[in-house]
Amino acid sequence: MTKQELCQTALDMLSRSYSPYSRFPVGAALACADGSVYTGCNIENAAYGPSVCAERVAVFKAVSEGKREFVRIAVAASTKKFCAPCGVCRQVLQEFAPDLEVILVNCDGETKELTQRDLLPYSFDGDSLTDCSGDPAGLS
């Protein structure tokens, strides 16, 4: 799938958003290394805490289907300003794809390309769990 097609797929997901409280639909399309694509939209809940962002929906769908290698994600919002993944989504993306290409898409179809490392330069990852001796923290 081309970058343009991925961005259009993310825009198409805006109509599937369940966002009655914020009225801020977000769509995502995640491209895997094998060429498969997983989509997501934000899904809100009146209690707010159980709500989930479009990016995490796409990642969780892919992981639940056995995919672990991601190369690119497009994130679209129905605003002129680009909508970047929130902090929680950045952390989830970091877990699986620290070198991920991130394409932000606004309502006019304009794009801004970043990397996961641009979004989360001082990330917390599996290496952060290693103590000074090189052992996994708390396991020795």
Side-chain angles (χ1 to χ4, degrees), residues 57-101:
V57 170
V59 170
F60 296 163
K61 283 170 64 176
V63 171
S64 72
E65 295 297 322
K67 307 297 180 179
R68 300 277 195 288
E69 296 179 24
F70 311 130
V71 295
R72 181 178 300 122
I73 190 168
V75 179
S78 56
T79 57
K80 290 212 177 267
K81 185 178 178 183
F82 294 112
C83 177
C86 73
V88 173
C89 288
R90 292 175 192 201
Q91 183 62 45
V92 169
L93 293 168
Q94 178 68 32
E95 180 72 20
F96 295 100
D99 296 314
L100 187 70
E101 178 183 348

Side-chain angles (χ1 to χ4, degrees), residues 3-64:
K3 287 182 185 182
Q4 184 177 3
E5 291 169 328
L6 192 72
C7 292
Q8 185 59 54
T9 301
L11 284 166
D12 292 345
M13 290 304 298
L14 293 174
S15 66
R16 296 191 180 177
S17 168
Y18 179 74
S19 49
Y21 306 106
S22 71
R23 297 187 188 345
F24 189 81
V26 179
L30 178 67
C32 299
D34 68 0
S36 58
V37 174
Y38 290 84
T39 57
C41 61
N42 57 322
I43 304 167
E44 296 179 349
N45 187 283
Y48 296 117
S51 298
V52 66
C53 299
E55 301 92 326
R56 284 183 283 147
V57 170
V59 170
F60 296 163
K61 283 170 64 176
V63 171
S64 72

Side-chain angles (χ1 to χ4, degrees), residues 22 40 69 106 109 119-120:
S22 71
E69 296 179 24
N106 72 8
L119 293 174
L120 195 61

